[in-house]
Amino acid sequence: MQKTGSGKKILIVEDEANLLDVLGDEFTVSGFEVFKAHDGEEGYKLALEKHPDLILIDVLMPKMDGITMFKNLRKHEALKNIPGIILTNLNDTQTIQDAIESGAYDFLVKSDWEPKSLVKRVQEKLGLNS
Amino acid sequence: MKNHLAKNIAIGLVLLVVYVVAGKLGLKLAFVNASATAVWAPTGIALAALLLLGFRFWPVIFLGAFLVNLTTAGSALTSFSIELGNTFEATIGAYLVTRFAGGKQAFEQPRDIFKFAALAGIVSTAIAATIGTLTLALGNLADIGQIDKIWLTWWLGDMGGALLVAPFLIIWSSFTWPKKIRAGKFFEMILFLIMLILVYQIIFGKTPWAGRHYPLDFLLVPLMLWAALRFSRRQTVTAILIFAALAIWGTLQGFGPFTSGSFDTSLLLLQAFLVTVGMGTLTVSSLITRQQELQDNLISYNQQLDQEKIKDEALLASIGEGIVATDEAGKIILINKSFEDLLGWKEQQVLGKHTLDILKMQDEQGRNIPEKQRPLIQAFSSGKKIIVNYYLLRKDKTKFFATITTTPIVLGGKVIGVIKIFRDISKEKEIDKAKSEFVSLASHQLRTPLTVIKWHSSRLLDNWGKRKAFSSEARKKSIQEIYDTDQRMLDLVTAILNVSKIDLGTLAVEPENIRLENIAEDVLKELRLGIQGKELKVKKQFSPNLPRVLADPKLIRILFQNLLTNSIKYTPKGGQITCSIALKDKNFLISVVDTGIGIPAGNGKRVFEKFFRTDTARNIDPNGNGLGMYIVKAIVDVAGGKIWFESKENQGTTFYVIIPLSGMKEKTGVKGLAESYS
């Protein structure tokens, strides 16, 4: 199980420190290299710096919201193809529409998911066998 | 009852006297036979009496006739017979008139006048004349050879009474004093009387041509027409009677066109003439009066209609909804004041225009509504009421959101137009939007702690028994997180409930006579652990002369809790918090000063919005719900006070609250606000 992450780089952007830690631990345990950011700005900088293989992004965050952050990232040629998963507790139609328009490939409602199943989902996306 | 009887006896006596006197006077004019006189007023008096007073007065007539005839001629038996005839005449006349000619109202309709003349003037009098003449003949009181002449005299004499005297009495019976006689009318009346006397003089007076039998009687016709056209029925019938009296007098003097061999014949001819002219005049008068009444009715009906119209217009103008009515072609035929106010069009600009050209509608995306989908068209084609919510464009192209009800006006199964009513619902829409935003934000806020609990508990379950991977220290930490998050959620639920009470307007206010400073002290005491933990210095500055105030202690407590908790939360270790209450003008001025992180500029009023949190606040405490200051603001509003703040980032914040000395007014609501206990 520990090898399934194969050292892939995951960036998690989440302002709720508690959730960030739990999710970070789960990915670390699964063999991913995890980078954590607490707001959109920090997430943006880390993404430019680390070039992660996948980004998990919350929407409502201080300084810069997740959707704006992801849109900004996709302006960079090198980061254009990084898959993004919007992970939020907002599920109104406007947010979903914004998320899809930003180019994120998945939109997940946080409270419907457990860390373990999130890891599985990411592994599937990255073509890793669990 | 006694009064009633006495009154009836009095009336009966008067009637009796009048009847007898008139009868005696009439008999003085009897020439052919002492009992058959050419002018017999008692017939009219009897007829009028029975019509006006009722049939029960017939004995009076009977007695009157008896008294009149007793002194005339013949035996008691023949007198009795004549009395019977007279009484019978009056009774049957009154009956026939009541039954067929409108009774007392016989002179209001031309039709009834003719019936009156026929029934009371011809039929009943003929009966009396027949009975009377037969009686005289049988009693040998009359010359058999003259019997036809006696009958005719009797008949015509009674007819004169019935048609000249009865109308006068009946019409005058409804006399009431006029409120005002116009001067013009009065002079016309004088002029008429002069003319009347003049005409009388010409026809019946002692003139150079008197005795030449010139048929000048036609001169009476224009005079009577004048009376009928210009004067009331009452004045006209009076004129007829006056002229009749004069004419009889003149004829008896031997003047005028009717003088012939005998007085009897003269009087009979005159009587026939007077009755004919009199009835004709009364008919015209009644027609004119009738027309005048109709005209008056029409005028007053028109005035009433005008009044109604003014009322209707005032009613329409006062309706808050815009109203527009169209004809069957969809053209505007009516709008109200609210239509003008809401859309900026003036009545004269839109009347006659097609509704589709004036009322422009757009959907929520700002697209024009196609003609087929316009409620007007749909109402016309379906014949049903259509209710839609669209943007309505004003004359100046600005728009507002409205609910529009279009109802077809159906008459005889055909749609003859529509009536549209519309109302500006921008506010409702705004509230609706705010509500759905609130639900969305609240559900997000509730999902976040639920997610934390779920993730921590799922980790605990997944790693159950794996002591190496998950130390007992880490487990305890997870359980602690679950516990804290649960507490946070309880607070959040309380806050959301409070907010919904505020938003729904069901917040109860139960004022008591309290001291603000006592509550501030209490709250500071409750918060002492937090204060000590951060080594904060707290200063209390309460003016010594603070009065008591009528305020809801729970609400005031929540106000201080929020203000002071925020100060403690956002002030770094070792900082200072000053809570002061002073009097300013007619208000309490509460201020809470801290040396905290401050509120970044540009966040102004958003601080008091639901769920709003500054980025700096999120950094310090990610778990706050952003509802505290919204609730505080609502409490201040309830007290009719004010709240504002001054702040500099990293230097500190001061919140000011003004509460009027008059305090809060009681308001019974569902419940007061609940405190949170975190």
Side-chain angles (χ1 to χ4, degrees), chain B residues 23 97 115 117 178 193 201 333 365 404 462 484 496 526 532 537 566 599 633:
Chain B
V97 169
K115 285 188 193 161
L193 283 175
Q201 277 298 328
I333 54 173
Q365 281 72 41
I404 306 156
D462 285 348
D484 291 348
I496 286 175
E526 284 167 19
Q532 285 162 9
K537 258 192 275 171
N566 280 348
I599 297 165
K633 170 86 165 68

Side-chain angles (χ1 to χ4, degrees), chain A residues 106-130:
Chain A
D106 217 345
F107 180 92
L108 306 178
V109 175
K110 241 185 266 180
S111 55
D112 294 347
W113 292 79
E114 289 169 22
K116 210 168 54 173
S117 24
L118 277 172
V119 170
K120 228 178 200 173
R121 183 95 179 178
V122 168
Q123 285 167 339
E124 278 167 20
K125 175 64 194 165
L126 294 176
L128 303 168
N129 293 322
S130 55

Side-chain angles (χ1 to χ4, degrees), chain B residues 325-333 380 416-418:
Chain B
T326 80
D327 61 11
E328 72 281 355
K331 287 190 176 142
I332 295 173
I333 54 173
F380 267 120
I416 58 155
V418 300

